[in-house]
Each structure stands twice: as structure tokens, then as C-alpha cells.
Amino acid sequence: MRPTTLVSVFTLVLFAAAPARAGDPDFDRDGVPNVEDNCPETVLTTEFADFSVVAGLSLVGTARQGRVIIGLVSAPRSAGAAWLNAPIALTPDLGFTSMFTVAMPGEASSGEGMTFTLQARGPRELGGRFGGLGYEGISDSVAVEIDTRFGGADDPPYDHVAILRDGNVDRHLAVAPTPFDPTLVPQWTCWVEYDGRTDLLSVYLSADGEHPLEPLMTYVVDLTTLGDVVWAGFTSAASNTNPVSTQLLSWTLEVRDPDQTDVDSDGLGAP
């Protein structure tokens, strides 16, 4: 499960058209692709097969590199974050897939949870501790929350996934119960997928590493309202007692943008 090397690459992939089929609007009657309708996407992939090397990441608060992991929190009353240093340039048609694998070993009653976050404030941001999940107070942001502890009147009384906005952990824009207890399985995988053409954000969760057929939740949000660029990363926080150690095991971020044909060295898909 844990290879000893890290692959951290940006790749440009031009997708070839599928074979012509009768009635396919992407091809003319002679089987020639309609070029105007099949412009190649720019695909930029950042992949951490593990975290034996963390070049390109900013670790904030209690986030620490382990041998092949990033421990976001491992001490009581703490909060940590890990951000990609390179920002993502936001365009109307941008899409992405963020796939990450997490382990939460420890006492299930003491963990708070974590978020995958896109925020426009920079790669050194860290929000509130405890139920703040390291996210509370980070403005100009959208987060997918995986919450493993009941935090009060505004929190659902079960493990859940939710969409949060602008550092507000009390307002759940969309919420769904997790299909398993994230603290009681050896590890789990989450996919956060976004299509800028429809502004649809979809979240999938699995305990066996297989991508589910149906999303756990969807939510419509226009990410361009956050600003011109965002930083992608993770936050987590611990409670008063012995915490669940939120361990990030791997991460792949694929950014797709049909509007971009070049990549700036200062960012992912920057014009």
C-alpha cells in the first residue's frame, strides 16, 4: 500500500478522439473528427504516491511529515494543514479530481475530522482548533468536511460529509452520513470531483479503494467567486484528549481546463 518513492509531476495530456460511430456528433459522415468540437484539454496532474518527499507542499501548525505519510494532527488541542505551494488558476470551465487516502487510527471518541479545502488566502492558512477542524475562519474558501465527532447543536449527530464555505463550520450547505465510520476502518479514500461547465461538485467515499458508482453528495458552486487563484490542501484538528491521528497517505490532484493550452511555472493552469 505504501511505496517508498514519491512521484510529483505535472503532465500534459492530449486526449485522442474515440473511434467514429454512426450518428456521433463529434464526427462528420466520413468519420473525420469535428475539430472545433474536440479541442484538447490541458490536464495537469500532481501525484503524491506517498509523502516520503513533501517538496511542493507547505505544512502548517502541527502537520508533520512521517516516513511516508503526513500527520495533520497527532497531539491534543492541535490543528494542522497541508497546502500545495502552487496555486490553481480559476477559469469558468475548469474541472478537477482530487483523490486522497486517509487513515485515522486512535480513539474514535476524540477525533474531530478533516477537510479538503480550496482557498484564496495562500499556502500558510490555518483555521480554528477542536470542532473548527483547522478550517474555521478561512475566508474565500470552499471545503469538503469529513466530520467524525458530534460538535454541538449545529452539527449532525453522526459521522458525516458536508460542504462548507468561507470558514463557517456551523453552516452545512449540503450534508450526508458517511457509509462507514472513518475511524474504524484501516484507511479510506475520497474523491472530490468538480465540473466548472456545470459548477457541479461531487463527493465519493470508499473504504475499499474502489470508486463508487454514485456520489455520496453533490452541490452546485461557482468556484470563480473565490478569486483568480486558489490553493488546494487539507486541514484537521484534535480535541482535548488523546486524538485520532489524521494521517494523509496519498494524494492525486488532476486539473483539467479546456480554456488553457499552456502552463505557467508559477501555478497549475495559470494563463
Side-chain angles (χ1 to χ4, degrees), residues 161-237:
V161 175
I163 306 299
L164 308 177
R165 183 76 191 256
D166 297 328
N168 187 342
V169 298
D170 295 324
R171 184 186 180 199
H172 297 76
L173 302 176
V175 64
T178 61
F180 51 83
D181 186 333
T183 68
L184 296 181
V185 296
Q187 63 187 48
W188 47 268
T189 303
C190 182
W191 293 261
V192 180
E193 302 176 359
Y194 181 72
D195 187 343
R197 295 167 298 184
T198 59
D199 294 337
L200 187 66
L201 186 73
S202 303
V203 182
Y204 302 79
L205 203 63
S206 168
D208 61 12
E210 296 293 327
H211 191 294
L213 294 177
E214 299 294 332
L216 186 63
M217 69 162 53
T218 60
Y219 183 71
V220 175
V221 57
D222 181 3
L223 293 182
T224 62
T225 61
L226 299 179
D228 295 328
V229 299
V230 291
W231 284 263
F234 304 89
T235 73
S236 186

Side-chain angles (χ1 to χ4, degrees), residues 11-18 38-45 254-258 260-263:
T11 59
L12 176 64
V13 180
L14 303 182
F15 288 101
N38 287 279
C39 296
E41 287 184 329
T42 296
V43 178
L44 301 152
T45 301
E254 179 185 275
V255 178
R256 306 173 299 278
D257 194 343
Q260 298 291 342
T261 57
D262 201 358
V263 181

Side-chain angles (χ1 to χ4, degrees), residues 3-261:
T4 57
T5 59
L6 160 72
V7 180
S8 180
V9 294
F10 299 129
T11 59
L12 176 64
V13 180
L14 303 182
F15 288 101
R21 295 179 295 179
D24 191 330
D26 291 336
F27 296 84
D28 66 18
R29 61 185 179 183
D30 297 319
V32 177
N34 295 319
V35 176
E36 292 183 358
D37 295 330
N38 287 279
C39 296
E41 287 184 329
T42 296
V43 178
L44 301 152
T45 301
T46 302
E47 181 177 4
F48 294 92
D50 63 33
F51 293 96
S52 54
V53 177
V54 293
L57 291 173
S58 290
L59 304 184
V60 188
T62 59
R64 297 289 184 270
Q65 178 190 16
R67 187 172 66 88
V68 291
I69 67 168
I70 289 177
L72 292 174
V73 291
S74 57
R77 305 167 67 102
S78 63
W83 306 104
L84 273 180
N85 287 328
I88 300 169
L90 295 178
T91 62
D93 293 335
L94 177 136
F96 70 81
T97 296
S98 177
M99 179 183 75
F100 51 95
T101 301
V102 176
M104 289 181 165
E107 297 180 13
S109 63
S110 61
E112 295 290 352
M114 66 174 295
T115 76
F116 168 73
T117 297
L118 298 171
Q119 48 87 9
R121 309 303 297 175
R124 301 299 301 173
E125 286 295 293
L126 182 61
R129 299 179 298 166
F130 306 108
L133 297 176
Y135 172 73
E136 185 175 26
I138 299 179
S139 60
D140 304 316
S141 65
V142 170
V144 174
E145 169 195 65
I146 298 94
D147 195 324
T148 58
R149 189 182 188 197
F150 177 57
D154 296 315
D155 216 21
Y158 47 79
D159 295 342
H160 61 272
V161 175
I163 306 299
L164 308 177
R165 183 76 191 256
D166 297 328
N168 187 342
V169 298
D170 295 324
R171 184 186 180 199
H172 297 76
L173 302 176
V175 64
T178 61
F180 51 83
D181 186 333
T183 68
L184 296 181
V185 296
Q187 63 187 48
W188 47 268
T189 303
C190 182
W191 293 261
V192 180
E193 302 176 359
Y194 181 72
D195 187 343
R197 295 167 298 184
T198 59
D199 294 337
L200 187 66
L201 186 73
S202 303
V203 182
Y204 302 79
L205 203 63
S206 168
D208 61 12
E210 296 293 327
H211 191 294
L213 294 177
E214 299 294 332
L216 186 63
M217 69 162 53
T218 60
Y219 183 71
V220 175
V221 57
D222 181 3
L223 293 182
T224 62
T225 61
L226 299 179
D228 295 328
V229 299
V230 291
W231 284 263
F234 304 89
T235 73
S236 186
S239 62
N240 285 315
T241 57
N242 295 326
V244 168
S245 176
T246 303
Q247 299 175 358
L248 193 60
L249 307 182
S250 65
W251 182 26
T252 301
L253 177 64
E254 179 185 275
V255 178
R256 306 173 299 278
D257 194 343
D259 296 334
Q260 298 291 342
T261 57

